[in-house]
């Protein structure tokens, strides 16, 4: 996968700085490789950690696949592919073996330990937040994963045991609690500054993000074995009350209009580094058009004139399906510029999710009934999604009036989750919400639905996958620890729910 220039620049700093700062004071140690420093300070580890988490994980493979499986996007190419549920043990190797574990979690582990030893709790706090977040995304797609043994290579542990997903979530919450405490410390030898590409060392913002994540993860377990939805919802509301991100403090990562440093969605779907065929799905485009949703202008682009483009399609929103289109791919809408220009910021988590956490949690605390509190929370959440894009209040009010919360409990829950699904466009969280609630009620990819043209390519399996298969590297080199209750056949293993799915 192509790295960003910004990451390469950071790595060059890591390689060069030891020589720069020691050459004047002593001769070069011929037994030490100057290009592979063994002791790197916290302020040089942090930017690389944040860059890798943003590009490789939050804007990387798990999020891209989730967007296909939740029908935010589709892959307009022939044959079986991820869009119609072809995913293999080899396909997930890079995410597990190259990105999630070494580039993010191991470096977060190193940073937190170094920061603790050096008396820099603020750096440790950020490292723990990223570690907890990355752990959640990894366990959410695989289920049981290595954690307690995962970073013990220096101790001779090369075949890590797997921790249960339930214990992983306990560890995630503990990491976030520790991070909140450490973020409040003013006793730091080294102050976090501009090398923090997300919040520039503002620890109050990191604290608010940690509380937001804790709320998200409490709600994640709403249907987990041994848990009750109302109790988990109460825990989520309690965390939000302690602090949460706002429209002004959403965690974003900046990208640049320079080759290799562009926004991940631009690289993946717009400029051809990866593909030009990954575009908003026909299902999703038709859904927004049917309700006159003003957010469509930000989430998708209108078709523009060009070679092979039917003039009748120009100026329209047209989605693709997970098969080779009958026309040139230019006849279909691309991902909206808001998300996919070369210098667009990548949103790690959007403020509207906070309001939808409140809306769903209030509904669950009320034992899945609609009252004035639930209705007010729903209205605020929908408006927050409109405000996120800067949509005029009059347009937002018109939309909300046409989509007022129903009194019927089942319909109301479907509305809350449907609106959250739209607000979380291109967010990994939409996949988690779908799995734990079954909402919105998505058709399987390439299944017939009203307004869809007849398709020739059948889906790979007869349901939306609910997990990733374990990577082939683990099956080959750590097979004794890989959970034995899952089939080695991905078409069978990817339909087995993870622990918190509660099914």
């Amino acid at each position: 996968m192509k790295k960003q220039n910004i990451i390469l620049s950071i790595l060059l700093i890591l390689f060069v700085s030891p020589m720069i700062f020691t050459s004047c004071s002593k001769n070069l140690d011929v037994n030490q490789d100057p290009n592979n420093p063994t002791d790197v300070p916290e302020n040089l580890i942090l930017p690389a950690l944040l860059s890798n988490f943003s590009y490789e994980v939050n804007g990387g493979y798990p999020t891209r696949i989730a967007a296909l499986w939740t029908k935010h996007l589709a892959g307009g190419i022939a044959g079986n592919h991820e869009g119609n549920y072809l995913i293999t043990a080899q396909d997930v190797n890079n995410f597990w073996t190259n990105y999630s574990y070494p580039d993010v979690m191991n470096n977060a582990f190193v940073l937190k330990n170094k920061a603790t030893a050096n008396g820099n709790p603020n750096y440790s706090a950020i490292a723990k937040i990223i570690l907890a977040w990355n752990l959640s995304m990894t366990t959410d797609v695989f289920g049981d994963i290595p954690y307690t043994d995962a970073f013990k290579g220096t101790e001779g542990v090369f075949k890590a045991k797997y921790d249960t997903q339930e214990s992983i979530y306990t560890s995630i919450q503990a990491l976030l609690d520790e991070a909140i405490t450490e973020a409040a410390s003013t006793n730091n030898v080294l102050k976090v500054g501009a090398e923090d590409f997300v919040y520039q060392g503002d620890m109050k913002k990191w604290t608010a993000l940690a509380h937001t994540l804790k709320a998200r993860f409490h709600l994640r377990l709403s249907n987990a074995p041994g848990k009750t939805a109302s109790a988990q919802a109460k825990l989520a509301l309690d965390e939000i009350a302690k602090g949460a991100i706002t429209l002004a403090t959403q965690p974003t990562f900046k990208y640049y209009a320079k080759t290799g440093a562009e926004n991940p969605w631009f690289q993946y779907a717009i400029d051809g580094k990866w593909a030009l065929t990954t575009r908003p799905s026909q299902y999703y485009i038709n859904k927004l058009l049917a309700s006159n949703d003003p957010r469509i202008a930000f989430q998708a682009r209108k078709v523009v004139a060009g070679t092979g483009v039917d003039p009748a399609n120009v100026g329209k929103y047209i989605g693709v399906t997970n098969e080779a289109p009958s026309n040139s791919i230019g006849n279909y809408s691309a991902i909206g510029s808001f998300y996919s220009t070369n210098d667009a910021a990548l949103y790690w988590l959007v403020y509207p999710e906070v309001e939808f956490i409140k809306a769903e949690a209030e509904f669950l605390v009320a034992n899945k009934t609609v009252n004035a509190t639930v209705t007010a929370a729903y209205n605020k959440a929908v408006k927050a999604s409109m405000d996120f894009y800067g949509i005029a209040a009059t347009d937002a009010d018109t939309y909300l009036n046409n989509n007022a919360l129903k009194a019927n409990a089942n319909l109301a829950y479907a509305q809350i989750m449907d609106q959250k699904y739209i607000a979380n466009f291109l967010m990994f969280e939409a996949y988690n919400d779908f799995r734990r609630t079954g909402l919105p009620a998505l058709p399987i990819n390439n299944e017939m639905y009203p307004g869809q043209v007849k398709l020739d390519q059948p889906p790979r399996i007869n349901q939306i996958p609910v997990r990733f298969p374990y990577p082939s590297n683990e099956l080959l080199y750590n097979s004794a620890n890989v959970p034995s209750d899952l089939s080695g056949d991905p078409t069978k293993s990817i339909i087995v729910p993870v622990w918190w799915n509660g099914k």
Side-chain angles (χ1 to χ4, degrees):
M1 179 176 288
K2 189 163 184 178
K3 300 283 188 179
Q4 301 159 276
N5 283 344
I6 193 168
I7 297 177
L8 294 176
S9 299
I10 292 165
L11 293 177
L12 287 173
I13 291 172
L14 293 179
F15 295 155
V16 173
S17 60
M19 287 197 297
I20 292 175
F21 295 115
T22 62
S23 60
C24 294
S25 61
K26 63 180 180 180
N27 293 328
L28 184 66
D29 186 344
V30 295
N31 293 316
Q32 183 177 21
D33 183 354
N35 290 326
N36 290 285
T38 57
D39 187 21
V40 181
E42 293 92 324
N43 61 349
L44 293 183
I45 299 175
L46 179 61
L49 172 64
L50 298 176
S51 297
N52 288 335
F53 176 65
S54 184
Y55 186 79
E56 295 174 349
V57 179
N58 231 339
Y61 188 79
T63 301
R64 297 199 303 264
I65 301 307
L68 290 169
W69 290 355
T70 56
K71 302 188 79 68
H72 279 154
L73 303 178
I77 57 176
N80 284 317
H81 53 83
E82 288 103 329
N84 50 41
Y85 315 142
L86 173 62
I87 186 170
T88 71
Q90 288 76 28
D91 291 333
V92 299
N93 267 336
N94 275 346
F95 170 54
W96 178 294
T97 307
N98 296 328
Y99 306 139
S100 181
Y101 274 99
D103 281 1
V104 179
M105 290 196 286
N106 186 66
N107 285 332
F109 195 80
V110 169
L111 177 57
K112 77 178 181 65
N113 289 348
K114 180 180 286 290
T116 298
N118 292 344
N120 293 309
N122 286 176
Y123 278 99
S124 176
I126 298 173
K128 287 178 178 179
I129 291 169
I130 300 301
L131 177 57
W133 199 340
N134 197 96
L135 265 177
S136 76
M137 293 182 73
T138 307
T139 189
D140 286 341
V141 293
F142 290 109
D144 297 353
I145 58 172
Y147 175 56
T148 54
D149 271 1
F151 314 109
K152 294 182 178 179
T154 58
E155 301 174 28
V157 178
F158 301 114
K159 294 186 177 182
K161 70 177 180 64
Y162 280 53
D163 298 271
T164 66
Q165 186 171 68
E166 182 174 10
S167 69
I168 292 289
Y169 262 94
T170 299
S171 296
I172 286 170
Q173 291 288 3
L175 284 167
L176 292 172
D177 285 336
E178 292 167 10
I180 290 167
T181 298
E182 291 176 340
S185 175
T186 57
N187 186 20
N188 293 269
V189 174
L190 188 63
K191 182 176 175 59
V192 182
E195 73 279 4
D196 169 9
F197 293 157
V198 181
Y199 288 134
Q200 295 73 52
D202 189 332
M203 300 311 297
K204 290 183 179 179
K205 293 177 181 177
W206 279 108
T207 300
L209 175 58
H211 283 299
T212 303
L213 289 171
K214 283 180 66 65
R216 171 196 273 185
F217 298 146
H218 282 311
L219 205 53
R220 174 90 85 261
L221 306 188
S222 59
N223 291 319
K227 309 289 184 180
T228 64
S230 59
Q232 292 304 119
K234 179 64 168 57
L235 290 170
L237 290 172
D238 289 346
E239 285 301 328
I240 293 294
K242 295 174 184 177
I245 62 166
T246 66
L247 197 61
T249 64
Q250 302 166 107
T252 61
F253 197 90
K254 177 64 178 173
Y255 290 93
Y256 299 90
K258 300 171 69 174
T259 301
E262 308 102 328
N263 169 282
W265 286 112
F266 175 84
Q267 293 195 40
Y268 179 59
I270 302 298
D271 81 330
K273 282 187 179 66
W274 300 96
L276 295 173
T277 52
T278 304
R279 296 176 179 239
S281 76
Q282 185 183 103
Y283 167 85
Y284 191 71
I285 290 292
N286 289 353
K287 178 184 183 66
L288 298 186
L289 289 174
S291 61
N292 294 314
D293 195 319
R295 289 170 289 192
I296 195 172
F298 299 88
Q299 297 182 352
R301 308 185 196 197
K302 291 180 178 179
V303 175
V304 297
T307 303
V309 176
D310 186 340
N313 294 334
V314 175
K316 296 180 180 178
Y317 293 108
I318 303 175
V320 298
T321 57
N322 287 287
E323 64 175 359
S326 57
N327 300 316
S328 165
I329 196 64
N331 286 278
Y332 303 89
S333 296
I335 298 170
S337 299
F338 183 89
Y339 293 92
S340 66
T341 56
N342 54 6
D343 61 349
L346 182 75
Y347 286 86
W348 285 7
L349 189 154
V350 296
Y351 164 65
E353 184 186 338
V354 172
E355 300 303 335
F356 278 106
I357 287 173
K358 291 181 184 177
E360 183 187 2
E362 293 288 5
F363 178 77
L364 296 176
V365 167
N367 293 316
K368 296 186 178 181
T369 61
V370 178
N371 56 31
T373 301
V374 173
T375 300
Y378 167 81
N379 291 344
K380 186 175 181 180
V382 174
K383 288 186 176 180
S385 182
M386 300 293 175
D387 290 343
F388 173 68
Y389 297 112
I391 292 170
T394 52
D395 292 335
D397 288 342
T398 297
Y399 179 85
L400 190 54
N401 288 337
N402 292 332
N403 293 274
L405 192 65
K406 301 289 194 299
N408 177 278
N410 290 333
L411 295 177
Y413 200 12
Q415 280 183 282
I416 292 169
M417 300 311 298
D418 193 57
Q419 289 297 324
K420 187 180 181 185
Y421 164 72
I422 298 170
N424 268 337
F425 180 66
L426 299 186
M427 297 289 150
F428 179 75
E429 191 62 10
Y431 180 49
N432 294 323
D433 284 340
F434 168 74
R435 286 186 289 168
R436 71 178 175 86
T437 68
L439 299 169
L442 301 171
I444 62 172
N445 285 353
N446 288 6
E447 184 178 59
M448 293 298 292
Y449 53 85
Q452 183 185 21
V453 297
K454 183 179 180 180
L455 300 171
D456 298 318
Q457 178 63 50
R460 173 79 171 174
I461 58 176
N462 201 34
Q463 71 172 79
I464 298 172
V466 290
R467 74 189 311 150
F468 286 1
Y470 282 112
S472 60
N473 283 346
E474 283 292 288
L475 297 173
L476 183 61
Y477 299 113
N478 195 22
S479 58
N481 288 310
V482 175
S484 59
D485 58 338
L486 293 175
S487 169
D489 179 356
T491 62
K492 295 178 180 178
S493 64
I494 64 177
I495 62 174
V496 178
V498 296
W499 167 76
W500 55 248
N501 213 347
K503 297 177 183 176

